[in-house]
PDB file of all heavy atoms in Angstrom:
ATOM      1  N   LYS A 208      18.025  -0.285 -19.243  1.00  0.00           N
ATOM      2  CA  LYS A 208      16.659  -0.581 -18.871  1.00  0.00           C
ATOM      3  C   LYS A 208      16.235   0.377 -17.766  1.00  0.00           C
ATOM      4  O   LYS A 208      16.909   0.514 -16.749  1.00  0.00           O
ATOM      5  CB  LYS A 208      16.550  -2.028 -18.383  1.00  0.00           C
ATOM      6  CG  LYS A 208      15.141  -2.467 -18.152  1.00  0.00           C
ATOM      7  CD  LYS A 208      15.076  -3.926 -17.780  1.00  0.00           C
ATOM      8  CE  LYS A 208      13.651  -4.342 -17.529  1.00  0.00           C
ATOM      9  NZ  LYS A 208      13.565  -5.749 -17.123  1.00  0.00           N
ATOM     10  N   ALA A 209      15.108   1.023 -17.950  1.00  0.00           N
ATOM     11  CA  ALA A 209      14.627   1.992 -16.981  1.00  0.00           C
ATOM     12  C   ALA A 209      14.016   1.267 -15.801  1.00  0.00           C
ATOM     13  O   ALA A 209      13.309   0.268 -15.961  1.00  0.00           O
ATOM     14  CB  ALA A 209      13.595   2.912 -17.628  1.00  0.00           C
ATOM     15  N   LYS A 210      14.291   1.767 -14.613  1.00  0.00           N
ATOM     16  CA  LYS A 210      13.718   1.178 -13.414  1.00  0.00           C
ATOM     17  C   LYS A 210      12.338   1.773 -13.183  1.00  0.00           C
ATOM     18  O   LYS A 210      12.098   2.933 -13.472  1.00  0.00           O
ATOM     19  CB  LYS A 210      14.613   1.468 -12.210  1.00  0.00           C
ATOM     20  CG  LYS A 210      15.958   0.798 -12.294  1.00  0.00           C
ATOM     21  CD  LYS A 210      16.762   1.091 -11.055  1.00  0.00           C
ATOM     22  CE  LYS A 210      18.103   0.409 -11.122  1.00  0.00           C
ATOM     23  NZ  LYS A 210      18.911   0.687  -9.930  1.00  0.00           N
ATOM     24  N   THR A 211      11.463   0.967 -12.625  1.00  0.00           N
ATOM     25  CA  THR A 211      10.131   1.469 -12.324  1.00  0.00           C
ATOM     26  C   THR A 211      10.165   2.149 -10.960  1.00  0.00           C
ATOM     27  O   THR A 211      11.071   1.939 -10.166  1.00  0.00           O
ATOM     28  CB  THR A 211       9.106   0.324 -12.304  1.00  0.00           C
ATOM     29  OG1 THR A 211       9.491  -0.611 -11.293  1.00  0.00           O
ATOM     30  CG2 THR A 211       9.057  -0.372 -13.652  1.00  0.00           C
ATOM     31  N   ARG A 212       9.152   2.908 -10.685  1.00  0.00           N
ATOM     32  CA  ARG A 212       9.111   3.629  -9.414  1.00  0.00           C
ATOM     33  C   ARG A 212       9.009   2.646  -8.252  1.00  0.00           C
ATOM     34  O   ARG A 212       9.550   2.853  -7.187  1.00  0.00           O
ATOM     35  CB  ARG A 212       7.930   4.585  -9.392  1.00  0.00           C
ATOM     36  CG  ARG A 212       8.050   5.660 -10.454  1.00  0.00           C
ATOM     37  CD  ARG A 212       6.904   6.590 -10.379  1.00  0.00           C
ATOM     38  NE  ARG A 212       7.250   7.622  -9.415  1.00  0.00           N
ATOM     39  CZ  ARG A 212       6.401   8.495  -8.932  1.00  0.00           C
ATOM     40  NH1 ARG A 212       5.145   8.467  -9.299  1.00  0.00           N
ATOM     41  NH2 ARG A 212       6.793   9.414  -8.070  1.00  0.00           N
ATOM     42  N   ARG A 213       8.275   1.587  -8.483  1.00  0.00           N
ATOM     43  CA  ARG A 213       8.056   0.634  -7.407  1.00  0.00           C
ATOM     44  C   ARG A 213       9.358  -0.020  -6.962  1.00  0.00           C
ATOM     45  O   ARG A 213       9.633  -0.127  -5.774  1.00  0.00           O
ATOM     46  CB  ARG A 213       7.067  -0.420  -7.893  1.00  0.00           C
ATOM     47  CG  ARG A 213       6.643  -1.383  -6.838  1.00  0.00           C
ATOM     48  CD  ARG A 213       5.543  -2.247  -7.370  1.00  0.00           C
ATOM     49  NE  ARG A 213       5.035  -3.110  -6.327  1.00  0.00           N
ATOM     50  CZ  ARG A 213       4.035  -3.908  -6.468  1.00  0.00           C
ATOM     51  NH1 ARG A 213       3.406  -3.955  -7.621  1.00  0.00           N
ATOM     52  NH2 ARG A 213       3.627  -4.663  -5.481  1.00  0.00           N
ATOM     53  N   SER A 214      10.158  -0.452  -7.945  1.00  0.00           N
ATOM     54  CA  SER A 214      11.402  -1.106  -7.579  1.00  0.00           C
ATOM     55  C   SER A 214      12.382  -0.113  -6.952  1.00  0.00           C
ATOM     56  O   SER A 214      13.190  -0.478  -6.124  1.00  0.00           O
ATOM     57  CB  SER A 214      12.043  -1.772  -8.793  1.00  0.00           C
ATOM     58  OG  SER A 214      12.396  -0.796  -9.744  1.00  0.00           O
ATOM     59  N   THR A 215      12.290   1.136  -7.307  1.00  0.00           N
ATOM     60  CA  THR A 215      13.157   2.152  -6.724  1.00  0.00           C
ATOM     61  C   THR A 215      12.831   2.337  -5.246  1.00  0.00           C
ATOM     62  O   THR A 215      13.715   2.460  -4.411  1.00  0.00           O
ATOM     63  CB  THR A 215      13.004   3.484  -7.475  1.00  0.00           C
ATOM     64  OG1 THR A 215      13.233   3.252  -8.850  1.00  0.00           O
ATOM     65  CG2 THR A 215      13.969   4.519  -6.968  1.00  0.00           C
ATOM     66  N   LYS A 216      11.551   2.339  -4.920  1.00  0.00           N
ATOM     67  CA  LYS A 216      11.153   2.499  -3.520  1.00  0.00           C
ATOM     68  C   LYS A 216      11.631   1.315  -2.687  1.00  0.00           C
ATOM     69  O   LYS A 216      12.085   1.471  -1.572  1.00  0.00           O
ATOM     70  CB  LYS A 216       9.640   2.648  -3.415  1.00  0.00           C
ATOM     71  CG  LYS A 216       9.133   3.975  -3.913  1.00  0.00           C
ATOM     72  CD  LYS A 216       7.642   4.062  -3.767  1.00  0.00           C
ATOM     73  CE  LYS A 216       7.115   5.383  -4.304  1.00  0.00           C
ATOM     74  NZ  LYS A 216       5.662   5.470  -4.225  1.00  0.00           N
ATOM     75  N   LYS A 217      11.507   0.111  -3.243  1.00  0.00           N
ATOM     76  CA  LYS A 217      11.963  -1.078  -2.520  1.00  0.00           C
ATOM     77  C   LYS A 217      13.463  -1.005  -2.278  1.00  0.00           C
ATOM     78  O   LYS A 217      13.948  -1.307  -1.201  1.00  0.00           O
ATOM     79  CB  LYS A 217      11.631  -2.341  -3.310  1.00  0.00           C
ATOM     80  CG  LYS A 217      10.183  -2.726  -3.266  1.00  0.00           C
ATOM     81  CD  LYS A 217       9.977  -4.020  -4.026  1.00  0.00           C
ATOM     82  CE  LYS A 217       8.539  -4.446  -4.031  1.00  0.00           C
ATOM     83  NZ  LYS A 217       8.345  -5.670  -4.809  1.00  0.00           N
ATOM     84  N   ALA A 218      14.197  -0.607  -3.295  1.00  0.00           N
ATOM     85  CA  ALA A 218      15.647  -0.519  -3.163  1.00  0.00           C
ATOM     86  C   ALA A 218      16.026   0.540  -2.134  1.00  0.00           C
ATOM     87  O   ALA A 218      16.940   0.353  -1.336  1.00  0.00           O
ATOM     88  CB  ALA A 218      16.290  -0.199  -4.515  1.00  0.00           C
ATOM     89  N   ALA A 219      15.315   1.651  -2.112  1.00  0.00           N
ATOM     90  CA  ALA A 219      15.605   2.710  -1.145  1.00  0.00           C
ATOM     91  C   ALA A 219      15.300   2.233   0.269  1.00  0.00           C
ATOM     92  O   ALA A 219      16.034   2.519   1.212  1.00  0.00           O
ATOM     93  CB  ALA A 219      14.805   3.961  -1.472  1.00  0.00           C
ATOM     94  N   ALA A 220      14.201   1.474   0.440  1.00  0.00           N
ATOM     95  CA  ALA A 220      13.841   0.966   1.761  1.00  0.00           C
ATOM     96  C   ALA A 220      14.889  -0.039   2.248  1.00  0.00           C
ATOM     97  O   ALA A 220      15.248  -0.054   3.428  1.00  0.00           O
ATOM     98  CB  ALA A 220      12.468   0.318   1.717  1.00  0.00           C
ATOM     99  N   GLN A 221      15.398  -0.858   1.379  1.00  0.00           N
ATOM    100  CA  GLN A 221      16.425  -1.825   1.751  1.00  0.00           C
ATOM    101  C   GLN A 221      17.712  -1.110   2.141  1.00  0.00           C
ATOM    102  O   GLN A 221      18.405  -1.521   3.060  1.00  0.00           O
ATOM    103  CB  GLN A 221      16.690  -2.796   0.606  1.00  0.00           C
ATOM    104  CG  GLN A 221      15.540  -3.761   0.371  1.00  0.00           C
ATOM    105  CD  GLN A 221      15.746  -4.609  -0.866  1.00  0.00           C
ATOM    106  OE1 GLN A 221      16.720  -4.415  -1.597  1.00  0.00           O
ATOM    107  NE2 GLN A 221      14.839  -5.533  -1.111  1.00  0.00           N
ATOM    108  N   ASP A 222      18.051  -0.040   1.457  1.00  0.00           N
ATOM    109  CA  ASP A 222      19.260   0.718   1.771  1.00  0.00           C
ATOM    110  C   ASP A 222      19.158   1.352   3.160  1.00  0.00           C
ATOM    111  O   ASP A 222      20.117   1.396   3.911  1.00  0.00           O
ATOM    112  CB  ASP A 222      19.519   1.806   0.726  1.00  0.00           C
ATOM    113  CG  ASP A 222      19.954   1.219  -0.605  1.00  0.00           C
ATOM    114  OD1 ASP A 222      20.369   0.038  -0.606  1.00  0.00           O
ATOM    115  OD2 ASP A 222      19.877   1.932  -1.620  1.00  0.00           O
ATOM    116  N   VAL A 223      17.974   1.834   3.525  1.00  0.00           N
ATOM    117  CA  VAL A 223      17.779   2.470   4.821  1.00  0.00           C
ATOM    118  C   VAL A 223      17.925   1.439   5.940  1.00  0.00           C
ATOM    119  O   VAL A 223      18.543   1.694   6.968  1.00  0.00           O
ATOM    120  CB  VAL A 223      16.391   3.171   4.880  1.00  0.00           C
ATOM    121  CG1 VAL A 223      16.069   3.619   6.286  1.00  0.00           C
ATOM    122  CG2 VAL A 223      16.372   4.338   3.920  1.00  0.00           C
ATOM    123  N   GLU A 224      17.354   0.251   5.724  1.00  0.00           N
ATOM    124  CA  GLU A 224      17.442  -0.802   6.735  1.00  0.00           C
ATOM    125  C   GLU A 224      18.869  -1.293   6.899  1.00  0.00           C
ATOM    126  O   GLU A 224      19.308  -1.588   8.010  1.00  0.00           O
ATOM    127  CB  GLU A 224      16.533  -1.970   6.351  1.00  0.00           C
ATOM    128  CG  GLU A 224      15.054  -1.635   6.429  1.00  0.00           C
ATOM    129  CD  GLU A 224      14.189  -2.754   5.884  1.00  0.00           C
ATOM    130  OE1 GLU A 224      14.737  -3.823   5.556  1.00  0.00           O
ATOM    131  OE2 GLU A 224      12.977  -2.554   5.789  1.00  0.00           O
ATOM    132  N   ALA A 225      19.583  -1.396   5.826  1.00  0.00           N
ATOM    133  CA  ALA A 225      20.934  -1.944   5.870  1.00  0.00           C
ATOM    134  C   ALA A 225      21.954  -0.940   6.408  1.00  0.00           C
ATOM    135  O   ALA A 225      22.987  -1.329   6.930  1.00  0.00           O
ATOM    136  CB  ALA A 225      21.360  -2.401   4.480  1.00  0.00           C
ATOM    137  N   ALA A 226      21.683   0.341   6.299  1.00  0.00           N
ATOM    138  CA  ALA A 226      22.650   1.356   6.721  1.00  0.00           C
ATOM    139  C   ALA A 226      22.711   1.409   8.245  1.00  0.00           C
ATOM    140  O   ALA A 226      21.682   1.392   8.918  1.00  0.00           O
ATOM    141  CB  ALA A 226      22.261   2.723   6.160  1.00  0.00           C
ATOM    142  N   PRO A 227      23.916   1.472   8.842  1.00  0.00           N
ATOM    143  CA  PRO A 227      24.028   1.571  10.297  1.00  0.00           C
ATOM    144  C   PRO A 227      23.584   2.956  10.764  1.00  0.00           C
ATOM    145  O   PRO A 227      23.800   3.955  10.089  1.00  0.00           O
ATOM    146  CB  PRO A 227      25.519   1.346  10.559  1.00  0.00           C
ATOM    147  CG  PRO A 227      26.183   1.718   9.283  1.00  0.00           C
ATOM    148  CD  PRO A 227      25.201   1.392   8.200  1.00  0.00           C
ATOM    149  N   VAL A 228      22.953   2.978  11.918  1.00  0.00           N
ATOM    150  CA  VAL A 228      22.449   4.235  12.461  1.00  0.00           C
ATOM    151  C   VAL A 228      23.578   4.922  13.215  1.00  0.00           C
ATOM    152  O   VAL A 228      24.216   4.338  14.090  1.00  0.00           O
ATOM    153  CB  VAL A 228      21.254   3.971  13.415  1.00  0.00           C
ATOM    154  CG1 VAL A 228      20.755   5.276  14.016  1.00  0.00           C
ATOM    155  CG2 VAL A 228      20.156   3.246  12.675  1.00  0.00           C
ATOM    156  N   LYS A 229      23.847   6.163  12.885  1.00  0.00           N
ATOM    157  CA  LYS A 229      24.906   6.931  13.534  1.00  0.00           C
ATOM    158  C   LYS A 229      24.278   7.830  14.596  1.00  0.00           C
ATOM    159  O   LYS A 229      23.311   8.541  14.316  1.00  0.00           O
ATOM    160  CB  LYS A 229      25.661   7.781  12.509  1.00  0.00           C
ATOM    161  CG  LYS A 229      26.418   6.971  11.497  1.00  0.00           C
ATOM    162  CD  LYS A 229      27.156   7.892  10.549  1.00  0.00           C
ATOM    163  CE  LYS A 229      27.933   7.108   9.520  1.00  0.00           C
ATOM    164  NZ  LYS A 229      28.613   7.976   8.567  1.00  0.00           N
ATOM    165  N   GLU A 230      24.811   7.775  15.789  1.00  0.00           N
ATOM    166  CA  GLU A 230      24.302   8.636  16.853  1.00  0.00           C
ATOM    167  C   GLU A 230      25.175   9.875  16.951  1.00  0.00           C
ATOM    168  O   GLU A 230      26.387   9.816  16.765  1.00  0.00           O
ATOM    169  CB  GLU A 230      24.318   7.888  18.183  1.00  0.00           C
ATOM    170  CG  GLU A 230      23.356   6.729  18.201  1.00  0.00           C
ATOM    171  CD  GLU A 230      23.340   6.053  19.549  1.00  0.00           C
ATOM    172  OE1 GLU A 230      23.777   6.682  20.544  1.00  0.00           O
ATOM    173  OE2 GLU A 230      22.896   4.914  19.610  1.00  0.00           O
ATOM    174  N   LYS A 231      24.557  10.974  17.338  1.00  0.00           N
ATOM    175  CA  LYS A 231      25.298  12.214  17.480  1.00  0.00           C
ATOM    176  C   LYS A 231      26.029  12.220  18.821  1.00  0.00           C
ATOM    177  O   LYS A 231      25.509  11.760  19.828  1.00  0.00           O
ATOM    178  CB  LYS A 231      24.360  13.419  17.415  1.00  0.00           C
ATOM    179  CG  LYS A 231      23.782  13.639  16.039  1.00  0.00           C
ATOM    180  CD  LYS A 231      22.955  14.895  16.026  1.00  0.00           C
ATOM    181  CE  LYS A 231      22.398  15.175  14.654  1.00  0.00           C
ATOM    182  NZ  LYS A 231      21.583  16.385  14.629  1.00  0.00           N
ATOM    183  N   ALA A 232      27.221  12.738  18.801  1.00  0.00           N
ATOM    184  CA  ALA A 232      27.987  12.864  20.048  1.00  0.00           C
ATOM    185  C   ALA A 232      27.407  14.019  20.845  1.00  0.00           C
ATOM    186  O   ALA A 232      27.024  15.043  20.268  1.00  0.00           O
ATOM    187  CB  ALA A 232      29.456  13.106  19.747  1.00  0.00           C
ATOM    188  N   PRO A 233      27.334  13.917  22.172  1.00  0.00           N
ATOM    189  CA  PRO A 233      26.772  15.031  22.980  1.00  0.00           C
ATOM    190  C   PRO A 233      27.675  16.257  22.890  1.00  0.00           C
ATOM    191  O   PRO A 233      28.891  16.159  22.834  1.00  0.00           O
ATOM    192  CB  PRO A 233      26.726  14.468  24.389  1.00  0.00           C
ATOM    193  CG  PRO A 233      27.693  13.333  24.394  1.00  0.00           C
ATOM    194  CD  PRO A 233      27.728  12.804  22.999  1.00  0.00           C
ATOM    195  N   ALA A 234      27.052  17.388  22.905  1.00  0.00           N
ATOM    196  CA  ALA A 234      27.804  18.639  22.823  1.00  0.00           C
ATOM    197  C   ALA A 234      28.529  18.873  24.136  1.00  0.00           C
ATOM    198  O   ALA A 234      27.929  18.788  25.211  1.00  0.00           O
ATOM    199  CB  ALA A 234      26.866  19.797  22.508  1.00  0.00           C
ATOM    200  N   THR A 235      29.806  19.173  24.087  1.00  0.00           N
ATOM    201  CA  THR A 235      30.599  19.371  25.307  1.00  0.00           C
ATOM    202  C   THR A 235      30.484  20.789  25.824  1.00  0.00           C
ATOM    203  O   THR A 235      30.443  21.022  27.013  1.00  0.00           O
ATOM    204  CB  THR A 235      32.077  19.050  25.035  1.00  0.00           C
ATOM    205  OG1 THR A 235      32.522  19.843  23.944  1.00  0.00           O
ATOM    206  CG2 THR A 235      32.246  17.585  24.722  1.00  0.00           C
ATOM    207  N   GLU A 236      30.441  21.753  24.956  1.00  0.00           N
ATOM    208  CA  GLU A 236      30.362  23.141  25.370  1.00  0.00           C
ATOM    209  C   GLU A 236      29.226  23.818  24.645  1.00  0.00           C
ATOM    210  O   GLU A 236      28.937  23.500  23.494  1.00  0.00           O
ATOM    211  CB  GLU A 236      31.657  23.874  25.041  1.00  0.00           C
ATOM    212  CG  GLU A 236      32.851  23.386  25.802  1.00  0.00           C
ATOM    213  CD  GLU A 236      34.086  24.185  25.432  1.00  0.00           C
ATOM    214  OE1 GLU A 236      33.946  25.304  24.884  1.00  0.00           O
ATOM    215  OE2 GLU A 236      35.175  23.699  25.674  1.00  0.00           O
ATOM    216  N   ALA A 237      28.627  24.769  25.309  1.00  0.00           N
ATOM    217  CA  ALA A 237      27.597  25.562  24.659  1.00  0.00           C
ATOM    218  C   ALA A 237      28.296  26.579  23.774  1.00  0.00           C
ATOM    219  O   ALA A 237      29.358  27.091  24.130  1.00  0.00           O
ATOM    220  CB  ALA A 237      26.737  26.270  25.703  1.00  0.00           C
ATOM    221  N   PRO A 238      27.739  26.901  22.686  1.00  0.00           N
ATOM    222  CA  PRO A 238      28.375  27.885  21.804  1.00  0.00           C
ATOM    223  C   PRO A 238      28.417  29.250  22.467  1.00  0.00           C
ATOM    224  O   PRO A 238      27.545  29.612  23.261  1.00  0.00           O
ATOM    225  CB  PRO A 238      27.484  27.893  20.558  1.00  0.00           C
ATOM    226  CG  PRO A 238      26.196  27.277  20.976  1.00  0.00           C
ATOM    227  CD  PRO A 238      26.495  26.371  22.130  1.00  0.00           C
ATOM    228  N   ALA A 239      29.454  29.998  22.199  1.00  0.00           N
ATOM    229  CA  ALA A 239      29.634  31.322  22.789  1.00  0.00           C
ATOM    230  C   ALA A 239      28.558  32.252  22.289  1.00  0.00           C
ATOM    231  O   ALA A 239      28.153  32.185  21.132  1.00  0.00           O
ATOM    232  CB  ALA A 239      31.015  31.858  22.450  1.00  0.00           C
ATOM    233  N   GLU A 240      28.107  33.148  23.204  1.00  0.00           N
ATOM    234  CA  GLU A 240      27.066  34.075  22.807  1.00  0.00           C
ATOM    235  C   GLU A 240      27.643  35.171  21.930  1.00  0.00           C
ATOM    236  O   GLU A 240      28.816  35.489  22.011  1.00  0.00           O
ATOM    237  CB  GLU A 240      26.438  34.689  24.051  1.00  0.00           C
ATOM    238  CG  GLU A 240      25.689  33.687  24.880  1.00  0.00           C
ATOM    239  CD  GLU A 240      25.009  34.346  26.055  1.00  0.00           C
ATOM    240  OE1 GLU A 240      24.866  35.587  26.037  1.00  0.00           O
ATOM    241  OE2 GLU A 240      24.616  33.632  26.968  1.00  0.00           O
TER     242      GLU A 240
END
């Protein structure tokens, strides 16, 4: 059964809400020039 666009958007929105937010670790050193 083909999914409609509307239900796909709802499913994508639910996935975004349910996914834990990952924070970036601070950079310890600046990259070498």
Side-chain angles (χ1 to χ4, degrees):
K208 188 175 179 182
K210 294 182 179 180
T211 60
R212 297 182 87 191
R213 186 172 185 176
S214 64
T215 306
K216 288 181 182 178
K217 285 183 181 178
Q221 290 173 355
D222 289 342
V223 170
E224 292 173 6
V228 178
K229 295 181 180 178
E230 294 183 19
K231 290 184 178 179
T235 55
E236 295 181 19
E240 294 184 17

